[in-house]
Amino acid sequence: MDDLTERQLEILEFERQWWRYAGAKAVEIERQLEMTPVAYYRALNAVIDLPAAMEHDPTLVRRLQRARTLRRRRRSGRAFRIAEA
């Protein structure tokens, strides 16, 4: 199994602890990781699909995957309701 890169580990660590910071999450992403929020979320979504991420922190990865699935379901349901109108 491939190991996670240093950057991937930083992303997981940030996601585990971002709520501890006083600022808004987007501001902290830019300040700490020097990434745009869009780039961060793309990278995060890619990382949580990696088996190495699941092995590294299964609780965090499962929580993030569940949250992503819920967001997708809500968006698809909303799009469906709009199309029906």
Side-chain angles (χ1 to χ4, degrees):
M1 180 170 307
D2 295 336
D3 290 333
L4 297 171
T5 67
E6 188 65 34
R7 186 59 155 185
Q8 291 167 330
L9 289 170
E10 287 174 345
I11 289 168
L12 288 174
E13 183 63 25
F14 177 83
E15 193 61 31
R16 184 181 305 109
Q17 297 187 18
W18 73 266
W19 54 271
R20 294 181 183 181
Y21 305 109
K25 188 173 184 179
V27 172
E28 291 300 319
I29 289 168
E30 291 176 345
R31 188 178 72 74
Q32 291 187 33
L33 299 174
E34 299 177 347
M35 300 174 79
T36 65
V38 171
Y40 170 79
Y41 286 110
R42 284 184 185 149
L44 177 63
N45 277 309
V47 169
I48 64 174
D49 288 332
L50 298 173
M54 182 65 79
E55 191 173 294
H56 176 74
D57 192 337
T59 303
L60 174 66
V61 171
R62 279 196 288 275
R63 179 176 59 80
L64 294 170
Q65 288 173 338
R66 282 191 308 270
R68 178 179 63 186
T69 300
L70 181 58
R71 281 191 306 276
R72 286 179 178 169
R73 285 183 183 155
R74 286 180 179 161
R75 277 196 305 264
S76 67
R78 194 172 27 212
F80 181 70
R81 284 190 297 276
I82 291 170
E84 288 179 332

